[in-house]
Amino acid sequence: QKPPPPPPGEASDVSMLNASGGIDPAAAGMVGGGQIVAVDAQVANGQLVPAGYYMPPAAQMSEHELQNLINALRIEREPQDILERLSEITASKQDEDIRRRVVEAGAIPLLVGFLSPNWLSNIMPSTKQLLVFRWSLQTLTHLTRTRDYRDTVREAGLLPKLVALLLLKKLPTSVQQALLQCLINVTAGNKPNQVMLQEEGVPLLLARLMDQVLKEVDPDEAAHAVFRFLVLALNAVLTADMPYEEKSDVVQAGGLAALVTALGPAHIDAHVDAVQSINKLCSSNIGLCTALREHNGVTPLVFLLDWDHATPAVVKSAIICLMNCSRRDVNVRDDICSEMGITPIVALMDRGQERIIVEKATWTLNNLATGSAANQEAVRAAGGVKATLAVLEWARDAPTMKAALATIIHLAEDPETGDEVLAAGGIPVLVKHAKGEVSNAHKDIALLALNKLAVHSPAVGAKVQELTGEELWSAVQVAVLPGAAASAVPANRI
């Protein structure tokens, strides 16, 4: 069959061939970034793919040229060179259009097919087979930067083949990294893919691989890229609602110990994912919080809060993890305090911090102050009362205001807190919240905060009465937790 006519202004495929059968660069009009792909001259779907077919840069590639490249994958017995080229042209994070064109040309089923079980039947894959694995995985990684294609690859049967590859032993580092990167991209933010891989036991498998890697190398070896990608992959596959038994299996397989190791300074690139993984594993169950303490995980989390090299993303992840675990486990609260964690937490309540960090730091302070006179005194000594009042003055979002008011309620159990609030000018601030002048969302909580303070400090009671008038003062006297029946939560009558 005759090859299709070239686009206007371009030489025909045949005229590009020199006497030896190779490509004549001048005739081909080669420009920077172009590449000769060595494939056999065969017919695929009616399209002639000549030997030494010249592939232009991705931005200059026509639909005809792209389709020829995909067709070549269908017929080439050793497709590693074509796959490498496909990986290159899809590598740009910004070029959404080239990914769409590659997918529409039918690339995904072909790429998944190169990872089929017959390829995996050999105990020791050949060098060429390993290259096929690597470039196929890398191209799939690039394509799944587009979220919709994460569903497409699942429907094409990719996920079981990723699991099969994970089970292969002694893969070269380059192939291992390509595999883990593909796993990360395919599962990121895609709940169906996460659930399917959880059902296949991938979190447990990753935990075992992490434990194995740490046994083979120095745990402080920062350059161990495979370990980093294992941490990132585990975070991508984990979800907070994964069944407790499966989380416990990950912990027992060495996954939690490996994640705590990943919090060290040598693994700075993995910190965010390690902290987020710990949060997903441990924060929903007191038994798993206990496991975190047994693995000495609280200390490095506290350390990250004010470490000079910690990024805002690391700090945010660490404070969220500490907030969740300290809410669940009273012993975690004591560990935070004993590790001198109150001062950095108070520092995170500064107005210059990201709003979500301020909110979570305030809730963490609230957790520390709940039911512990020693912790309440420690929080007050670290400036926690003034910091909380400052948040109440400038915060205008409901979650942060609620966190600050709840913190005042628990700190008020310390008799000296009322006098400190009074001295800091905090009573007028609380009265504004109780009147709904700032927001109507948490008036009841503000009334209860004033009630708790007035119970332990007559001076506070007098100041509140002076500022509120008889009607609001009466509401302060009988304030209860919002939604709680009076019989269930007795009022603190003053």
Side-chain angles (χ1 to χ4, degrees), residues 345-346 349 358-370 376 379-380 383-389 391-392 399-414 417 421 430 445 449 452-453:
I345 291 172
V346 169
M349 296 165 64
V358 174
E359 178 200 340
K360 303 308 181 184
T362 307
W363 276 122
T364 306
L365 203 68
N366 169 74
N367 297 341
L368 299 182
T370 301
Q376 291 161 3
V379 168
R380 187 172 52 78
V385 174
K386 293 180 180 178
T388 305
L389 291 172
V391 170
L392 278 176
T400 304
M401 289 188 288
K402 182 178 181 180
L405 290 168
T407 302
I408 291 294
I409 289 173
H410 288 110
L411 287 174
E413 296 171 6
D414 181 348
T417 297
V421 171
L430 289 166
I445 302 178
K452 294 284 188 180
L453 290 167

Side-chain angles (χ1 to χ4, degrees), residues 7-20:
E10 292 188 11
S12 68
D13 294 333
V14 176
S15 68
M16 293 181 187
L17 299 178
N18 59 27
S20 63

Side-chain angles (χ1 to χ4, degrees), residues 313-360:
V314 170
V315 172
K316 178 164 65 174
S317 299
I319 194 62
I320 289 173
C321 185
L322 288 170
M323 177 198 73
N324 287 330
C325 291
S326 62
R327 177 178 58 191
R328 192 73 62 178
D329 188 348
V330 63
N331 293 314
V332 171
R333 304 171 199 169
D334 295 339
D335 285 354
I336 292 173
C337 293
S338 65
E339 294 294 337
M340 309 300 292
I342 297 176
T343 298
I345 291 172
V346 169
L348 293 179
M349 296 165 64
D350 183 79
R351 187 171 187 171
Q353 294 285 351
E354 184 182 351
R355 187 207 66 78
I356 191 68
I357 291 179
V358 174
E359 178 200 340
K360 303 308 181 184

Side-chain angles (χ1 to χ4, degrees), residues 173-253:
T173 300
S174 60
V175 179
Q176 283 184 299
Q177 291 183 20
L179 170 60
L180 293 170
Q181 284 178 312
C182 186
L183 187 68
I184 292 163
N185 262 30
V186 166
T187 53
N190 189 294
K191 189 63 177 288
N193 288 356
Q194 291 170 327
V195 171
M196 186 172 178
L197 289 171
Q198 288 171 11
E199 292 173 348
E200 293 287 337
V202 171
L204 178 59
L205 178 56
L206 292 171
R208 288 172 175 164
L209 290 172
M210 291 165 64
D211 182 61
Q212 178 183 335
V213 167
L214 289 180
K215 288 177 179 177
E216 293 175 353
V217 301
D218 182 348
D220 291 328
E221 186 180 345
H224 203 293
V226 171
F227 179 69
R228 171 177 172 254
F229 282 116
L230 284 168
V231 174
L232 271 59
L234 181 60
N235 185 37
V237 175
L238 285 176
T239 56
D241 59 354
M242 195 169 80
Y244 168 79
E245 293 78 11
E246 295 178 19
K247 292 182 180 180
S248 182
D249 288 343
V250 171
V251 171
Q252 293 177 16

